[in-house]
Amino acid sequence: EDTFEAETANREVVEARKRQLDEWRAWRERVEKDLKAQRVELGLPEDPNAAQRKKDEAEDTVIE
Amino acid sequence: MRPILLQGHERSLTQIKYNKDGDLLFSTAKDHVICAWYSVNGERLGTYHGHQGALWTVDIDPTSTLLATGAADNTIKIWDVKTGKSLKTWDFPTAVKRVEFSEDGTLLLAVTEARMGFLGTLVVFPIIVDVEAQQADAPLFTITFRESKATVAAWSYLNKYIITGHEDGSVSQYDGKSGELIQDIQAHEIGTAGQITDIQMAPDRTYFVTASKDKTAKIIDVDNLKVLKTFVTDTPLNTAALTPKKDFVILGGGQEARDVTTTSQRQGKFEARFYHKIFEDEIGRVRGHFGPLNTIAVHPQGTGYASGGEDGYVRVHHFDKPYFDFTYEVERMKA
């Protein structure tokens, strides 16, 4: 019976974490989409770090 | 995760900041000097001399060209990062407690102290990111705090909002262009017990983490000021930082030595506390400082962090494999 209770408690914790993770990821997806839309509206690149990353990659290539 | 100890300050640390690339670290302390360090090995790159009082705050623009500092000598200074030359000084009637560049580097906000008949303010200056440029003399606008003074402030994404954290535990959202108040919330315990000691933005500046004397830290949505997560600790907090790559927050604080009866037993036991950002659980601690942690900064690529203590030391940590491997079962299931 103790084992059963412990398993139920564990399952509840896991379920709660799943819910928290899903909620967080859904919220992030929404926020990131909104931010991209606002950046595009202002005529900015969708990803502010894309240009920098491209530059870094180019520099890396030269070194190689 | 063996830390590198940076010895260069003679007084307690007040703020540390990485530059955007994460190769440099800037630190301010109550000893009037700003230090620049190579984050990889802790070698000191240089110092910036000119302030006549304790330094409270530092920030570096996204291109690592200009450094901004605020001090108890009632000034903000702009420095040439490379040469260490002071390029501009703005004078105020009271101390400057916090400075921060906007994400595009074109604006600088500063929080000034309330004292001797002067109300606390927040000022915003236009910035030209060029060491040859003549910076403006006057701010674009000033926000005056009539009720509770602001202690910290930060820019949101796209400079849309200015977020301020206050002495009374409240958080306010102002329009980033006009300085008009949009809304405020009682994010932490009301009164000085809930004083907000730090605000740090997420990398994309769509949410932020607060640290408070009420022993909690909170994650708040920058658009609607909704509290999304709460981290409960057993000590007053001075600082809170978010880690890119991993979903963690790092919290720092501790009781002042004079408030603790068992000081001798606590030598070197002031800890940085790691919490899971989504599940709100404490997952680990890193000890080492001999006094409360005043400031924590995370490497922008999430590869390490640095903490600055009341003990006058900066400790730089590079995360190792177990840190990156750590995941909850549900995270692995839903990867």
Side-chain angles (χ1 to χ4, degrees):
Chain A
E1 200 173 300
D2 283 353
T3 330
F4 176 74
E5 272 177 22
E7 275 174 13
T8 311
N10 279 341
R11 209 159 44 234
E12 277 168 14
V13 169
V14 170
E15 285 308 315
R17 283 185 187 149
K18 270 189 199 163
R19 214 165 40 240
Q20 285 177 304
L21 192 59
D22 287 341
E23 275 172 17
W24 179 268
R25 285 180 179 172
W27 175 69
R28 287 310 301 159
E29 209 173 303
R30 205 168 59 240
V31 167
E32 281 164 20
K33 207 177 119 200
D34 282 357
L35 179 56
K36 271 184 190 165
Q38 289 188 54
R39 291 185 62 87
V40 170
E41 211 170 288
L42 291 168
L44 296 164
E46 266 195 19
D47 177 357
N49 296 313
Q52 184 60 41
R53 261 202 303 277
K54 223 176 217 170
K55 201 178 129 221
D56 289 348
E57 277 163 21
E59 280 171 7
D60 285 348
T61 318
V62 174
I63 293 160
E64 279 163 17
Chain B
M1 200 165 64
R2 207 185 157 87
I4 305 168
L5 205 59
L6 308 187
Q7 290 164 285
H9 288 291
E10 286 165 12
R11 297 281 309 278
S12 46
L13 272 290
T14 51
Q15 195 169 22
I16 47 187
K17 277 278 172 75
Y18 284 91
N19 66 339
K20 198 177 178 190
D21 290 339
D23 58 331
L24 302 177
L25 194 64
F26 296 87
S27 59
T28 51
K30 292 182 185 169
D31 58 12
H32 309 192
V33 180
I34 304 136
C35 290
W37 317 82
Y38 290 107
S39 65
V40 66
N41 59 8
E43 187 190 330
R44 193 157 70 176
L45 169 70
T47 51
Y48 301 77
H49 296 265
H51 275 294
Q52 303 297 320
L55 266 295
W56 293 117
T57 177
V58 60
D59 198 20
I60 179 156
D61 89 86
T63 62
S64 302
T65 308
L66 302 176
L67 196 71
T69 52
D73 63 7
N74 305 346
T75 66
I76 299 174
K77 282 184 182 287
I78 299 286
W79 309 82
D80 179 346
V81 170
K82 276 206 188 75
T83 64
K85 198 177 138 202
S86 168
L87 301 173
K88 179 77 188 173
T89 302
W90 286 295
D91 286 296
F92 298 91
T94 58
V96 179
K97 299 306 288 277
R98 185 60 76 117
V99 292
E100 193 185 272
F101 285 103
S102 57
E103 65 181 333
D104 58 5
T106 63
L107 298 165
L108 180 79
L109 68 72
V111 174
T112 69
E113 182 68 291
R115 187 162 293 168
M116 297 176 295
F118 293 101
L119 293 167
T121 69
L122 183 144
V123 289
V124 172
F125 287 96
I127 295 290
I128 306 161
V129 185
D130 179 353
V131 293
E132 302 294 333
Q134 187 68 40
Q135 304 293 343
D137 288 322
L140 289 169
F141 59 85
T142 301
I143 299 166
T144 304
F145 304 109
R146 299 192 183 282
E147 284 167 29
S148 175
K149 70 173 183 189
T151 45
V152 289
W155 290 100
S156 80
Y157 65 92
L158 299 172
N159 314 343
K160 200 171 174 183
Y161 312 114
I162 291 167
I163 302 294
T164 54
H166 294 254
E167 192 185 32
D168 67 352
S170 65
V171 167
S172 301
Q173 181 193 50
Y174 291 87
D175 185 294
K177 307 254 172 348
S178 67
E180 261 170 80
L181 178 67
I182 302 170
Q183 58 177 325
D184 45 31
I185 58 156
Q186 189 66 46
H188 286 275
E189 215 173 284
I190 195 160
T192 48
Q195 183 182 331
I196 296 174
T197 49
D198 198 9
I199 281 184
Q200 295 194 25
M201 285 283 165
D204 71 358
R205 295 177 185 256
T206 59
Y207 64 99
F208 57 94
V209 63
T210 58
S212 166
K213 289 287 181 197
D214 72 3
K215 306 181 181 178
T216 69
K218 299 196 182 197
I219 284 183
I220 300 176
D221 184 330
V222 86
D223 277 304
N224 56 20
L225 298 191
K226 203 176 139 200
V227 175
L228 301 172
K229 299 289 171 189
T230 300
F231 308 96
V232 180
T233 76
D234 57 5
T235 196
L237 295 176
N238 296 328
T239 182
L242 296 154
T243 59
K245 290 225 164 62
K246 299 297 286 183
D247 285 319
F248 303 151
V249 294
I250 314 177
L251 311 180
Q255 290 285 350
E256 297 275 359
R258 60 172 179 271
D259 301 334
V260 193
T261 46
T262 54
T263 310
S264 60
Q265 288 173 20
R266 299 196 48 174
Q267 290 287 304
K269 290 186 180 167
F270 287 87
E271 296 152 322
R273 297 137 188 267
F274 286 67
Y275 281 68
H276 197 284
K277 184 170 76 185
I278 299 167
F279 307 131
E280 302 169 305
D281 301 326
E282 183 172 343
I283 49 179
R285 293 187 184 192
V286 177
R287 61 169 59 165
H289 280 288
F290 291 88
L293 279 73
N294 291 338
T295 173
I296 289 174
V298 175
H299 190 291
Q301 276 78 52
T303 56
Y305 81 98
S307 54
E310 189 67 21
D311 60 8
Y313 293 110
V314 176
R315 301 173 73 88
V316 181
H317 305 76
H318 296 279
F319 295 133
D320 45 25
K321 195 164 178 295
Y323 168 88
F324 293 104
D325 288 345
F326 180 92
T327 44
Y328 276 61
E329 198 188 330
V330 290
E331 289 178 293
R332 287 195 295 275
M333 285 180 339
K334 288 180 168 282

